[in-house]
Amino acid sequence: MKELTKDQSYLMGKFNPSTHPDFVVMNTTHTSGRGMYLRKDAYEAFKEMFTAAKNDGIDLRIISATRPFSHQKNIWEGKWNGSRKVDGKNLAKTFPWGSDRAKKILEYSSMPGTSRHHWGTDIDLNKLQNSYFESGYGKNVYLWLKDNAPRFGFRQPYTAKDSNRPNGYNEEKWHWSYVPVSVPLTRQYAQLLQNGSIEGFDGSEFAKEIDMVKNYVLGVAPDCK
């Protein structure tokens, strides 16, 4: 682990999980589609959590897992250039000033090179909508996760913003992180990388102005850093 966390390319998602020895493709029993990768240790922990949840009548489904730099770049640049709508809007038109546009995208999407999904430790579950987890069956799923996920090493990094988490992405009730690995990776990111390291995509010049490392990479719940 020590050697791994000193690898800046790994921290920034600049590798191929399909050929990385620490990653494994997940069984579609646990995912919403084929070809999703996760770290082996995180996946083993998830499988245990999946079984425990199933026994309690809760179905957990991974809808997004490892996303390399290139994948995140496609998401980011689509939103940045307007080909991928956000709330039905072309942000290139509605937010002509770059820092405002970046902050709008950063409500829910990471700049390439800064996403926790690069690390193979973080997963999105069931639905990418907070409203799903606030009523009916979805609320039961969320309450089960809050009560039980920590037993398996998973915690919610993007909780509701408050004095303990004033900065960063908006709340994501679907996003859970395998903290035995993601916590040391978060700390290593802060030690080894700076805002100037975040480059190679449209809009990257605003990383320094926004202070991506402090406000977003470290803008997680206290138990996730």
Side-chain angles (χ1 to χ4, degrees):
M1 193 63 202
K2 289 183 179 179
E3 183 176 349
L4 171 64
T5 56
K6 291 181 180 178
D7 185 347
Q8 294 186 21
S9 294
Y10 184 98
L11 292 168
M12 299 188 76
K14 296 180 178 181
F15 66 95
N16 185 349
S18 69
T19 58
H20 195 290
D22 292 334
F23 283 71
V24 63
V25 65
M26 292 183 287
N27 192 298
T28 53
T29 300
H30 306 115
T31 67
S32 62
R34 298 181 181 277
M36 294 188 188
Y37 285 83
L38 206 63
R39 282 185 57 91
K40 293 176 181 177
D41 42 18
Y43 187 39
E44 288 304 312
F46 175 78
K47 286 191 287 186
E48 292 181 10
M49 183 168 71
F50 176 92
T51 298
K54 200 78 170 176
N55 290 338
D56 289 339
I58 298 296
D59 183 50
L60 300 179
R61 193 71 48 180
I62 296 175
I63 58 176
S64 187
T66 305
R67 297 201 296 263
F69 183 95
S70 57
H71 186 152
Q72 197 66 29
K73 180 180 178 180
N74 288 336
I75 294 173
W76 175 271
E77 290 188 340
K79 293 182 177 183
W80 180 266
N81 296 319
S83 61
R84 187 177 185 134
K85 301 294 190 297
V86 177
D87 297 331
K89 299 178 181 178
N90 179 336
L91 297 189
K93 294 181 178 179
T94 54
F95 291 91
W97 183 246
S99 61
D100 292 338
R101 194 187 321 167
K103 289 176 182 176
K104 178 61 180 177
I105 298 172
L106 287 165
E107 288 181 359
Y108 292 107
S109 294
S110 304
M111 280 189 176
T114 70
S115 175
R116 298 173 71 89
H117 280 286
H118 293 332
W119 306 339
T121 57
D122 286 48
I123 53 178
D124 294 337
L125 295 173
N126 291 34
K127 294 282 186 180
L128 300 177
Q129 299 169 335
N130 285 321
S131 58
Y132 167 81
F133 297 98
E134 293 169 356
S135 64
Y137 177 71
K139 184 175 182 179
N140 293 337
V141 172
Y142 183 64
L143 292 176
W144 190 94
L145 286 166
K146 287 187 67 176
D147 289 342
N148 295 280
R151 292 195 289 122
F152 303 93
F154 289 91
R155 293 185 181 273
Q156 182 186 347
Y158 306 126
T159 51
K161 291 181 182 177
D162 55 21
S163 59
N164 291 318
R165 195 181 83 85
N167 303 311
Y169 307 99
N170 287 350
E171 182 178 21
E172 294 184 355
K173 293 183 175 181
W174 58 83
H175 186 146
W176 293 81
S177 182
Y178 184 61
V179 294
V181 180
S182 65
V183 165
L185 288 175
T186 303
R187 294 172 181 173
Q188 286 296 322
Y189 194 108
Q191 292 174 14
L192 298 173
L193 294 165
Q194 302 175 341
N195 292 315
S197 308
I198 303 166
E199 58 184 2
F201 57 92
D202 295 344
S204 62
E205 64 270 25
F206 295 100
K208 291 183 180 179
E209 180 179 335
I210 294 170
D211 199 348
M212 283 297 303
V213 175
K214 177 183 177 181
N215 291 324
Y216 289 88
V217 175
L218 299 179
V220 294
D223 56 11
C224 289
K225 63 181 177 180

